[in-house]
Amino acid sequence: MFVVAAVTLCGVLTVLNLILTLGVIRRLRDHTDRLTDLAQARPMPDPIIVPGSRPAAFAADTVDAEPITEAHLAGGGLVAFFSPTCGACEEWIPRFATAARALPDGRRRALAVVVAPAEADAADMVAKLRDAAMVVVEEDKGPLATAFKVFGYPAMCRLGEDGTVVSSGKDAVTVPVTA
């Protein structure tokens, strides 16, 4: 008698567990669909200043001890922000370097900013970028990141002849280079 009651109880609990599990799965699918619809309705903005804007005034020193200001970027150029904590940055560094080398004045018109708490943390990225662009290492919310309104990495923008942003985001390295 005791065995029959135990088996019946186990059977009832198993069916109840199955019903609850199916309900949770259905609810998770519903949430996934809602999140997908939300992401498609409002795509994430580029993590940098928007096209048509002009970066704020800034002053910094490159890793080669060259002072750089917004005046150095007047006349157009390419600017990118990377971080050692960003997994996607490793994928985008070679693309940025290729686009920077294709600029008419080469590395003089390209600026790469590595955002890291210490230069030692940024050494690997600096080595990969140094021959293609002027490189600045700064802490989070440094003068360049503030001037370009960066809130995520990697972040890239292409500047026009008048210093305004022509394109931003990952598309910046694919915009045709004009002389």
Side-chain angles (χ1 to χ4, degrees), residues 106-133:
R107 77 183 294 274
R108 300 301 305 162
R109 293 184 89 185
L111 176 63
V113 181
V114 180
V115 179
E119 281 198 40
D121 298 333
D124 186 44
M125 285 186 167
V126 169
K128 292 176 184 175
L129 293 163
R130 193 176 227 155
D131 69 324

Side-chain angles (χ1 to χ4, degrees), residues 17-36:
N17 186 28
L18 179 63
I19 291 170
L20 291 175
T21 302
L22 290 174
V24 167
I25 291 171
R26 190 167 133 197
R27 188 69 165 235
L28 286 173
R29 285 184 182 158
D30 181 52
H31 281 267
T32 300
D33 292 343
R34 287 182 186 192
L35 288 173
T36 302

Side-chain angles (χ1 to χ4, degrees), residues 90-116:
E90 288 297 326
E91 173 189 340
W92 282 92
I93 286 175
R95 295 177 191 183
F96 170 79
T98 300
R101 286 185 193 100
L103 292 170
D105 292 335
R107 77 183 294 274
R108 300 301 305 162
R109 293 184 89 185
L111 176 63
V113 181
V114 180
V115 179

Side-chain angles (χ1 to χ4, degrees), residues 46-52 76-82 92-104 109-111 148 150 154-160 164-178:
D46 291 331
I48 195 167
I49 193 169
V50 296
L78 189 59
V79 180
F81 291 81
F82 301 104
W92 282 92
I93 286 175
R95 295 177 191 183
F96 170 79
T98 300
R101 286 185 193 100
L103 292 170
R109 293 184 89 185
L111 176 63
F148 283 87
V150 175
M156 293 163 255
C157 69
R158 188 174 293 271
L159 301 173
T164 60
V165 176
V166 175
S167 65
S168 64
K170 294 177 178 103
D171 292 337
V173 295
T174 58
V175 172
V177 178
T178 57

Side-chain angles (χ1 to χ4, degrees), residues 35-45:
L35 288 173
T36 302
D37 292 344
L38 182 63
Q40 290 172 349
R42 292 187 317 168
M44 289 295 292

Side-chain angles (χ1 to χ4, degrees), residues 64 146 155 178:
D64 297 322
T146 302
T178 57

